[in-house]
Amino acid sequence: MRIIPAIDIIEGQCVRLSKGDYDTKKVYNQNPLEVAKQFEAHGITHLHLVDLDGAKSKHIVNHKILEQIATKTKLKIDFGGGLKTDEDLRIAFECGANQITGGSIAVKNRATFTNWLETFGSDKIILGADAKDEKVAVSGWLEESKEELIPFIQAYQKEGVSYVICTDISKDGMLEGPSFKLYQKILDQAESGLKLIASGGISTFDELPKLAELGCEGTIIGKAIYENRISLRQLENFILNN
């Protein structure tokens, strides 16, 4: 299972939110590159970079930070937040993203998202399926759609999606543990070959082997790192031993 730390960006700073609420913003570092270099120094190879300004503005905003991290580290970056147009995608890939995550766009403009899948391939395009009460949420989680989570994932698997990041919004940033039951349900009901990346609520190191056992392909860890609930040394050891 891949370990994927998260860096969320608002106004160029590394922040975390609780349940996606912008009013709960807490700044952890004013220099995201510094944080990314710390991750890399501990054997981490992947990074989940979220442009929260972009999610709110509905277009890419913090691409300079993406470019900085991509050129000054060897981290493989998946980038998301406000990607709505082919131009947004062009900028993201040109600035060094290895993959992009599309969430709201996959709900609100299926034709565009499906076209991205066809153009760039399923290794480059991740479906962001973030949910509350098993309903997909959009627009930086500011809106709930009528889409049921599991049928939404199944439909996109038929379109060729293989990577899915699923965040249970009620858990995100709360340090109360991830949604093991939800991930189990998704993996049980999805078509085979799904690469499910668990996100939201990771609070202790012991949860990581459980997620790996369930069959998650990766896990995104945010606040647990920043609040020193899980140390970078522990993550380094996990990577070395798995």
Side-chain angles (χ1 to χ4, degrees), residues 7-34:
I7 292 179
D8 291 359
I9 306 293
I10 291 180
E11 294 171 355
Q13 299 176 316
C14 176
V15 306
R16 297 303 294 169
L17 309 180
S18 296
K19 298 186 181 179
D21 182 351
Y22 283 72
D23 291 335
T24 64
K25 177 183 84 172
K26 184 173 178 182
V27 177
Y28 284 96
N29 196 307
Q30 295 185 328
N31 185 348
L33 176 61
E34 199 175 90

Side-chain angles (χ1 to χ4, degrees), residues 107 134-137 144-149:
V107 175
E134 293 193 35
K135 290 269 201 316
V136 177
E144 194 181 278
S145 74
K146 291 187 177 126
E147 293 277 356
E148 295 282 346
L149 176 64

Side-chain angles (χ1 to χ4, degrees), residues 160-181:
V161 158
S162 56
Y163 285 94
V164 174
I165 293 173
C166 181
T167 307
D168 181 343
I169 293 165
S170 67
K171 301 276 190 182
D172 187 66
M174 302 311 291
L175 297 172
E176 292 169 356
S179 285
F180 293 111
K181 285 182 183 168

Side-chain angles (χ1 to χ4, degrees), residues 2-241:
R2 287 184 302 137
I3 297 295
I4 313 165
I7 292 179
D8 291 359
I9 306 293
I10 291 180
E11 294 171 355
Q13 299 176 316
C14 176
V15 306
R16 297 303 294 169
L17 309 180
S18 296
K19 298 186 181 179
D21 182 351
Y22 283 72
D23 291 335
T24 64
K25 177 183 84 172
K26 184 173 178 182
V27 177
Y28 284 96
N29 196 307
Q30 295 185 328
N31 185 348
L33 176 61
E34 199 175 90
V35 178
K37 283 183 168 176
Q38 283 172 2
F39 294 155
E40 188 178 40
H42 284 83
I44 284 158
T45 53
H46 292 80
L47 177 67
H48 179 65
L49 187 62
V50 183
D51 182 359
L52 288 174
D53 293 314
K56 224 173 186 180
S57 307
K58 297 186 170 61
H59 61 84
I60 194 167
V61 174
N62 286 299
H63 52 89
K64 291 288 181 207
I65 289 168
L66 165 62
E67 189 171 40
Q68 200 181 30
I69 294 172
T71 52
K72 295 188 175 169
T73 74
K74 290 180 180 165
L75 294 168
K76 291 181 176 142
I77 304 166
D78 88 70
F79 183 81
L83 301 174
K84 296 283 178 279
T85 64
D86 294 351
E87 177 66 5
D88 286 333
L89 239 64
R90 184 190 66 75
I91 293 167
F93 284 130
E94 279 186 6
C95 288
N98 292 83
Q99 295 177 300
I100 66 92
T101 300
S104 304
I105 186 84
V107 175
K108 295 187 166 187
N109 193 336
R110 285 173 179 261
T112 296
F113 188 78
T114 307
N115 183 49
W116 291 352
L117 272 170
E118 287 170 5
T119 305
F120 297 99
S122 60
D123 281 349
K124 291 280 187 188
I125 308 293
I126 303 170
L127 177 65
D130 300 332
K132 194 171 181 183
D133 303 323
E134 293 193 35
K135 290 269 201 316
V136 177
V138 293
S139 302
W141 302 347
L142 301 172
E143 293 173 49
E144 194 181 278
S145 74
K146 291 187 177 126
E147 293 277 356
E148 295 282 346
L149 176 64
I150 291 174
F152 176 73
I153 292 171
Q154 290 168 329
Y156 268 118
Q157 278 192 282
K158 289 187 173 71
E159 298 287 351
V161 158
S162 56
Y163 285 94
V164 174
I165 293 173
C166 181
T167 307
D168 181 343
I169 293 165
S170 67
K171 301 276 190 182
D172 187 66
M174 302 311 291
L175 297 172
E176 292 169 356
S179 285
F180 293 111
K181 285 182 183 168
L182 178 62
Y183 299 137
Q184 185 69 71
K185 193 172 174 184
I186 292 168
L187 288 163
D188 286 346
Q189 295 185 30
E191 291 179 32
S192 63
L194 180 70
K195 292 170 180 167
L196 181 65
I197 299 165
S199 168
I202 313 292
S203 58
T204 67
F205 179 78
D206 297 343
E207 291 155 1
L208 302 181
K210 289 182 191 171
L211 288 168
E213 223 170 273
L214 279 185
C216 292
E217 190 272 340
T219 184
I220 292 170
I221 311 170
K223 196 174 272 189
I225 295 173
Y226 297 108
E227 296 280 342
N228 299 312
R229 300 286 192 96
I230 299 175
S231 72
L232 292 177
R233 184 56 51 82
Q234 284 177 303
L235 294 178
E236 190 172 2
N237 289 335
F238 182 88
I239 293 163
L240 286 170
N241 294 320

